[in-house]
Amino acid sequence: MVDAVFLSFYGAVAHNIQQVVTDMAQRIWESGRAKDRAEVERYWQRKFELAQLSAHGSSFQSQRQLVMLVLEKTLRRFRSPVPAKELSLPLFQHWVRPPLFEDAKAFLAACPAPVYLLANMDRRDIENALHFHQLKVQGLITSEDARAYKPRKELFQLALRQAGVEPKQALSLGGSLRGDLRGASALGIPALWLNRSGRRAPNGIPSVRSLSEALDTQWLRESPPQAQSPD
């Protein structure tokens, strides 16, 4: 069993922002000049990922800053007159009061190893979300703390130091192949993909469909299963 679990928050414990982004893209499409909603969503996703990758060290910007920056670019790109501040409100509201997955609280209560949340998020927003849902974890490491975003290594390095463990003693558990698995694997941290949607897992990537299922993996099983005696 591992000595620490590095758990993603949005997408693992709480629902992510995909529906909020879809609704936002719908408004931009209806008010602007995009071909369809999907074009807006693709543009937003690509620009946001690039913005996160370039925001580190002295160039770091908070998640809220990046949202406004990319949203304003998106509105200009598709010539939508909707104010960026108005469009961003549902997103910011979701971050501080996100709906939880049904298995989240049970997992946090039953996990035999200390749980550290690793989040591409501003600390105040995720602290508010934890307070709203009355969730307790061993530690919280945010992009704001590390001044970098997953899949860069800084969050994982900070988590290793905070937990006081070596890479092989930890487990990264999250729903993003790019952020949670690539970032952890680059440092030699075992990674387990939380594949809630049942997508086809790439070869060699261990995956589970739920947090409940994760508890029965080799990393989190408290003791090896007892071999049954032959009759």
Side-chain angles (χ1 to χ4, degrees), residues 33 39 43 72-80:
R33 299 188 180 182
E39 182 184 14
Y43 181 88
E72 287 167 356
K73 285 183 179 180
T74 305
L75 290 167
R76 288 196 300 269
R77 169 68 176 80
F78 297 108
R79 301 183 185 181
S80 169

Side-chain angles (χ1 to χ4, degrees), residues 111-160:
C111 186
V115 174
Y116 296 79
L117 292 179
L118 272 65
N120 276 353
M121 184 54 53
D122 301 342
R123 173 167 278 273
R124 184 174 179 180
D125 283 331
I126 196 167
E127 284 179 339
N128 285 337
L130 293 175
H131 178 74
F132 177 72
H133 287 293
Q134 295 297 294
L135 299 179
K136 302 293 184 183
V137 291
Q138 186 70 26
L140 169 64
I141 301 93
T142 72
S143 51
E144 196 170 21
D145 301 321
R147 299 191 66 78
Y149 292 90
K150 295 183 285 185
R152 289 184 60 89
K153 62 185 181 181
E154 287 90 340
L155 259 82
F156 297 97
Q157 290 174 324
L158 189 55
L160 289 169

Side-chain angles (χ1 to χ4, degrees), residues 181-201:
L181 274 77
R182 185 190 302 174
S185 298
L187 289 174
I189 300 171
L192 181 62
W193 182 31
L194 180 56
N195 181 17
R196 289 190 180 277
S197 60
R199 289 181 288 163
R200 184 175 180 179

Side-chain angles (χ1 to χ4, degrees), residues 100-115:
L100 298 183
F101 287 104
E102 291 183 358
D103 57 0
K105 287 190 175 181
F107 175 84
L108 292 176
C111 186
V115 174

Side-chain angles (χ1 to χ4, degrees), residues 8-11 14-17 48 52 60-67 91-98 117-130 140-150 155:
S8 177
F9 186 68
Y10 300 98
H15 288 265
N16 60 29
I17 62 170
F48 198 74
Q52 283 188 326
F60 179 78
Q61 290 181 286
S62 72
Q63 188 85 332
R64 285 186 177 239
Q65 288 174 318
L66 293 183
V67 163
L91 183 61
F92 296 156
Q93 290 168 353
H94 177 94
W95 281 345
V96 298
R97 292 194 174 187
L117 292 179
L118 272 65
N120 276 353
M121 184 54 53
D122 301 342
R123 173 167 278 273
R124 184 174 179 180
D125 283 331
I126 196 167
E127 284 179 339
N128 285 337
L130 293 175
L140 169 64
I141 301 93
T142 72
S143 51
E144 196 170 21
D145 301 321
R147 299 191 66 78
Y149 292 90
K150 295 183 285 185
L155 259 82

